[in-house]
Amino acid sequence: MKLCTQIERVEKTVDDFTVGPINLEIELGTITALIGNNGAGKSTLIKMMMNLVKPDNGQLVHFGGSIKTSEHWKQEVAYQPQSVLGCDLLTGNQLRDLMAPWYKKWDQEMFMNLVKTFEIDLHKRFGKMSKGMQQKLNLVLALSKNTKLLILDEPTANMDIPSKQKLMNILVDWMERDERAIVIATHHVDDIKKLADYIVIMNDGKLLGKYEKEELVYRYKRYWFEDALGIEKIPGEIDRLNDRLLISNDVEQTDTFLKKNELKIMQSEVLEMEEIITYMLSGR
Amino acid sequence: MKRWQQAFWLSKFELLHSKKSIFTLLFLLVPYSFFLTVSIPSYLEEHFMLYDIFFLLIFGVAAIWAKPKEYQYQKIADDMWAQPFTVFLNQLPIPREIVVRSRFLIYFIYSLPFHLAVLVIMYSFGPELRQTLPPLEFIAFSLIWLSFGICYGSVYPASDSGDKVTNVKMAFYAFVLLGSFTLLLFAVPYLSSHGLVGLTIMVASKWPIISSVISIIAAGVSVTFWMKYMKNHMNKLDYFQ
Amino acid sequence: MELPIKLSRDSRVPIYHQIEGQIKALIVSGKLPAGSPLPSIRALSKDLEISVITTRRAYQDLEYGGFIKTTQGKGTFVAEVEVKKMEKLAISSVSEAIEKGVETALRHNYSVDEIRSVFEEVLARLKDNDRGGHA
């Protein structure tokens, strides 16, 4: 696997909140979902990846070049911020005119197609557009830059449901065009289920882990028992209901223990993604 | 040269929405210049301070008053002041050098024609000033004030890239700035028996060549310094917005 | 180009193996004739809500087994599979299914004769349904 981004021991302290130290690698050909509660440090990490916020420590490398000393990575990284400041008076057309010349691989055809798909009025001023429309325009601008890495910060937060669906197909198509990667910060479970290959979890400024999606799914399991368990703590246990229902985040250990103690399982199943994420974000 | 061309191209996106502001500025030009022209005879006689204050205001801050509010230096977060469009451009792969130059271009496009017009009107419609300053000396006088406009005014584009400032810090800056202007207004008459403007008239007529050269050099040094400062500053500053 | 694949996350069979098996079945049963295009790894991953890592593994196995072919820039297609291999595979998948049934019966302590009679009953019923035209 070719790497597109390496983040090594990156750290940033603002007032009394520290993000990091963060170690993370992004592979080409994959989509990484960045999840975490509000204030977990996702946006700060993303802004450090764009060199908008400068880390106190550590190294950030895009396509072999250090973010601090090289410039060429800017051609290969597109970013959609949560909100954009300072272009309220510009129309969609003017924003295009302003951005396109700086990206060598700008894809005008894709831009026009996406504008049509999302029904964006390019003659309208950015400041006069609805939140959702602004988000769509930003997204279309980011995609048309035709970069190898796309960083999206909660792209669907203000979007209607049909647009969310469209976006998913567009991102899938976008990935097929070249050897590319997407990093997407999201609260939307559908994004994670349908798009993500890797899930990176952040909590309180720390990176809790990077998991392949299936690996994460198989870490967790729900068990129903015929009889009450009556045992204090079972290895891997993270939740218990009525002493008959058990949830584990270490299936292997739990299974071994249950077998050894001859506890009869009535049924077992994997958890839904929502549940898994809820457990993960609460540190379980 | 290509960089300046690119910077100008970039400036046009903001200037497009500034037509109204530039028009407003021209509109203000009439009363300003009228006041300065009409009151110069009495100023030359008794150098009243209001005239100095007015001059400082025109060459110091008048040019940026008319800017559309979207493009003014403003609070963009709790402790961050910046010119939002500059912050926006900072996210694009535009060389910093070009962004920085475009900020200075925009300021000069606002201020220089305005300042120049004030001076030309004063000279054309004020026979007393023409008597005091022959053409060469008037050019020197103009250069002194244009240079002041550039040296002091460079602070505006240089701060567009943003600063982490609290309200207390902001109040402190305002206090220092006002204080130093006040000091200047009082100290000059006290030390030289001239008003501030009167002093520059005297300097321009006594040493026209030297004062011109110094003014030009000062303007050049100041712009170079502030552009460099701004570039370095952008490389260090955190943009959370 | 969506494939009728249904995954069971609770199964002991790994996901990539399930995909592999179901695509093989689609090919062997003739539902996916040689030359038909398959969805891209990314698109199938989205439809099945799994990572491309898993899908790629299934596709790699299928390609290694000669069931599919990937052409750079064009996509993935069903390969020409030898008739013999198809037959073999059909037999093995049939016997695998029966094996499962027999295992279940044995677990319920059925005798060999009982299993045989259950088998014949099922066979007769399905044949009847078949003649009736509807399942």
Side-chain angles (χ1 to χ4, degrees):
Chain A
M1 266 297 156
K2 268 188 268 176
L3 286 181
C4 81
T5 300
Q6 291 150 280
I7 301 172
E8 283 167 25
R9 304 180 313 279
V10 161
E11 218 171 337
K12 177 78 188 176
T13 303
V14 183
D15 299 327
D16 50 3
F17 183 68
T18 301
V19 173
I22 286 172
N23 291 291
L24 181 64
E25 288 183 339
I26 308 291
E27 292 163 18
L28 282 172
T30 66
I31 300 180
T32 306
L34 190 56
I35 63 174
N37 297 328
N38 295 325
K42 302 182 300 272
S43 284
T44 303
L45 174 60
I46 283 179
K47 290 198 165 92
M48 286 197 277
M49 289 171 77
M50 289 306 295
N51 203 28
L52 294 171
V53 169
K54 282 80 181 176
D56 301 331
N57 291 306
Q59 259 236 83
L60 262 146
V61 173
H62 286 307
F63 304 98
S66 159
I67 204 168
K68 264 190 278 181
T69 50
S70 78
E71 287 278 326
H72 80 274
W73 62 270
K74 287 191 173 176
Q75 287 291 330
E76 294 298 353
V77 185
Y79 159 59
Q80 185 208 8
Q82 269 181 50
S83 60
V84 185
L85 207 69
C87 58
D88 279 0
L89 294 182
L90 297 175
T91 64
N93 272 321
Q94 287 168 336
L95 277 169
R96 189 221 77 94
D97 292 345
L98 173 61
M99 286 187 190
W102 305 104
Y103 292 90
K104 292 194 187 93
K105 295 191 287 180
W106 178 270
D107 189 335
Q108 182 61 17
E109 200 188 319
M110 187 190 332
F111 177 75
M112 289 318 291
N113 285 337
L114 292 173
V115 163
K116 227 160 129 195
T117 309
F118 284 124
E119 296 167 19
I120 300 169
D121 179 4
L122 290 177
H123 299 287
K124 210 170 183 174
R125 283 188 172 183
F126 189 80
K128 296 256 190 261
M129 293 179 184
S130 68
K131 276 252 169 208
M133 196 54 82
Q134 291 183 344
Q135 221 165 16
K136 286 175 200 170
L137 177 58
N138 278 330
L139 196 83
V140 169
L141 288 165
L143 286 162
S144 309
K145 289 169 186 169
N146 221 345
T147 53
K148 279 187 184 294
L149 173 62
L150 180 63
I151 303 177
L152 306 172
D153 198 351
E154 292 179 31
T156 54
N158 296 301
M159 267 191 211
D160 46 77
I161 292 169
S163 301
K164 280 181 188 169
Q165 291 303 323
K166 278 182 202 167
L167 174 63
M168 259 186 251
N169 292 324
I170 287 166
L171 292 181
V172 165
D173 280 347
W174 189 86
M175 281 298 284
E176 312 261 26
R177 289 181 164 232
D178 196 359
E179 243 196 339
R180 294 177 158 176
I182 298 178
V183 174
I184 176 171
T186 181
H187 293 300
H188 199 57
V189 181
D190 244 22
D191 291 346
I192 299 164
K193 279 172 141 172
K194 293 198 186 288
L195 293 175
D197 303 312
Y198 290 105
I199 295 172
V200 168
I201 299 182
M202 283 189 78
N203 193 16
D204 201 25
K206 300 274 176 292
L207 200 148
L208 295 185
K210 176 185 174 183
Y211 307 92
E212 194 207 318
K213 190 160 55 182
E214 272 71 59
E215 174 197 332
L216 195 60
V217 168
Y218 287 116
R219 274 165 66 109
Y220 289 82
K221 208 167 194 176
R222 189 192 337 263
Y223 301 86
W224 284 270
F225 297 94
E226 286 176 12
D227 310 308
L229 283 165
I231 298 170
E232 252 182 43
K233 177 102 179 156
I234 289 173
E237 169 179 349
I238 50 167
D239 213 351
R240 197 187 288 204
L241 222 92
N242 294 332
D243 217 25
R244 294 241 175 135
L245 190 143
L246 183 87
I247 290 165
S248 157
N249 73 353
D250 192 335
V251 173
E252 213 172 296
Q253 275 207 47
T254 309
D255 279 347
T256 325
F257 181 86
L258 295 176
K259 218 178 215 169
K260 213 173 96 193
N261 291 275
E262 294 180 347
L263 291 160
K264 266 202 181 149
I265 305 164
M266 202 160 73
Q267 205 189 325
S268 68
E269 65 173 23
V270 295
L271 270 59
E272 289 292 321
M273 189 54 85
E274 285 95 325
E275 298 173 281
I276 293 172
I277 286 164
T278 308
Y279 279 123
M280 290 232 79
L281 292 182
S282 62
R284 284 185 280 184
Chain B
M1 203 57 213
K2 197 174 162 232
R3 296 232 137 171
W4 280 111
Q5 273 169 11
Q6 285 175 307
F8 181 66
W9 176 86
L10 200 57
S11 311
K12 282 197 285 192
F13 286 92
E14 182 173 328
L15 292 172
L16 269 177
H17 310 112
S18 306
K19 285 181 213 139
K20 217 167 87 190
S21 317
I22 291 173
F23 184 76
T24 315
L25 211 56
L26 288 176
F27 186 76
L28 290 173
L29 188 66
V30 180
Y32 286 170
S33 334
F34 180 76
F35 172 78
L36 290 179
T37 313
V38 169
S39 37
I40 199 135
S42 52
Y43 177 76
L44 289 174
E45 269 169 38
E46 49 181 322
H47 62 258
F48 57 101
M49 195 180 285
L50 187 67
Y51 196 85
D52 288 337
I53 294 176
F54 217 73
F55 230 84
L56 277 180
L57 285 178
I58 285 176
F59 285 88
V61 290
I64 58 155
W65 279 347
K67 267 193 167 191
K69 70 171 192 306
E70 286 86 349
Y71 288 132
Q72 288 198 2
Y73 187 65
Q74 54 194 266
K75 196 172 178 167
I76 60 169
D78 274 351
D79 55 353
M80 177 88 165
W81 284 67
Q83 200 267 0
F85 188 58
T86 313
V87 176
F88 170 74
L89 293 177
N90 187 41
Q91 296 178 358
L92 301 176
I94 306 176
R96 290 259 154 85
E97 182 73 34
I98 294 172
V99 176
V100 168
R101 287 185 191 196
S102 83
R103 297 320 305 165
F104 280 78
L105 269 181
I106 289 171
Y107 177 71
F108 294 142
I109 288 170
Y110 263 96
S111 66
L112 281 181
F114 175 65
H115 293 161
L116 208 61
V118 170
L119 290 163
V120 168
I121 290 172
M122 272 175 72
Y123 200 62
S124 319
F125 295 96
E128 296 81 4
L129 190 64
R130 279 206 298 275
Q131 272 164 22
T132 322
L133 291 171
L136 180 69
E137 282 76 4
F138 173 70
I139 289 172
F141 171 75
S142 301
L143 284 173
I144 292 172
W145 281 99
L146 289 175
S147 172
F148 169 77
I150 291 170
C151 292
Y152 173 72
S154 292
V155 175
Y156 300 123
S159 52
D160 279 348
S161 58
D163 280 294
K164 262 193 100 153
V165 274
T166 53
N167 286 340
V168 179
K169 231 169 157 185
M170 205 65 179
F172 174 74
Y173 286 150
F175 179 75
V176 168
L177 199 67
L178 256 136
S180 45
F181 273 147
T182 315
L183 197 72
L184 197 67
L185 285 167
F186 281 99
V188 168
Y190 182 77
L191 293 173
S192 70
S193 77
H194 286 284
L196 192 59
V197 178
L199 183 75
T200 55
I201 290 177
M202 189 271 281
V203 168
S205 47
K206 259 196 177 164
W207 307 286
I209 303 290
I210 296 176
S211 61
S212 301
V213 170
I214 290 176
S215 297
I216 291 169
I217 290 172
V221 168
S222 166
V223 170
T224 317
F225 169 80
W226 284 112
M227 288 212 297
K228 218 172 169 169
Y229 167 84
M230 183 177 177
K231 230 172 83 183
N232 288 335
H233 193 60
M234 283 174 97
N235 283 332
K236 276 186 278 181
L237 203 66
D238 290 328
Y239 293 95
F240 283 97
Q241 290 68 39
Chain C
M1 222 166 41
E2 279 182 20
L3 295 179
I5 293 179
K6 266 214 135 55
L7 300 179
S8 161
R9 289 179 191 277
D10 294 313
S11 158
R12 278 178 187 280
V13 184
I15 298 281
Y16 74 91
H17 215 112
Q18 292 182 36
I19 299 171
E20 204 186 316
Q22 292 186 37
I23 290 181
K24 265 188 203 167
L26 288 168
I27 294 172
V28 169
S29 66
K31 287 189 184 105
L32 277 179
S36 25
L38 287 174
S40 71
I41 291 176
R42 173 61 64 189
L44 187 61
S45 302
K46 175 189 164 258
D47 292 340
L48 299 178
E49 302 187 348
I50 55 177
S51 77
V52 290
I53 299 121
T54 305
T55 312
R56 190 174 297 125
R57 195 158 169 195
Y59 270 34
Q60 271 166 0
D61 285 354
L62 285 166
E63 187 149 14
Y64 189 71
F67 290 93
I68 62 172
K69 253 204 299 221
T70 302
T71 321
Q72 198 71 46
K74 279 192 179 159
T76 306
F77 300 90
V78 175
E80 294 286 351
V81 185
E82 291 167 53
V83 182
K84 250 193 190 155
K85 199 168 168 189
M86 293 262 248
E87 279 169 356
K88 234 162 114 189
L89 205 84
I91 292 168
S92 84
S93 70
V94 168
S95 74
E96 204 176 287
I98 293 178
E99 214 174 282
K100 254 190 201 155
V102 174
E103 265 175 15
T104 313
L106 288 174
R107 235 183 291 141
H108 287 85
N109 298 324
Y110 275 45
S111 71
V112 176
D113 281 338
E114 277 171 320
I115 292 173
R116 195 169 284 139
S117 74
V118 170
F119 176 76
E120 265 157 18
E121 224 172 83
V122 172
L123 196 64
R125 195 174 69 230
L126 290 179
K127 251 186 169 170
D128 259 10
N129 281 349
D130 224 23
R131 229 171 272 147
H134 298 285

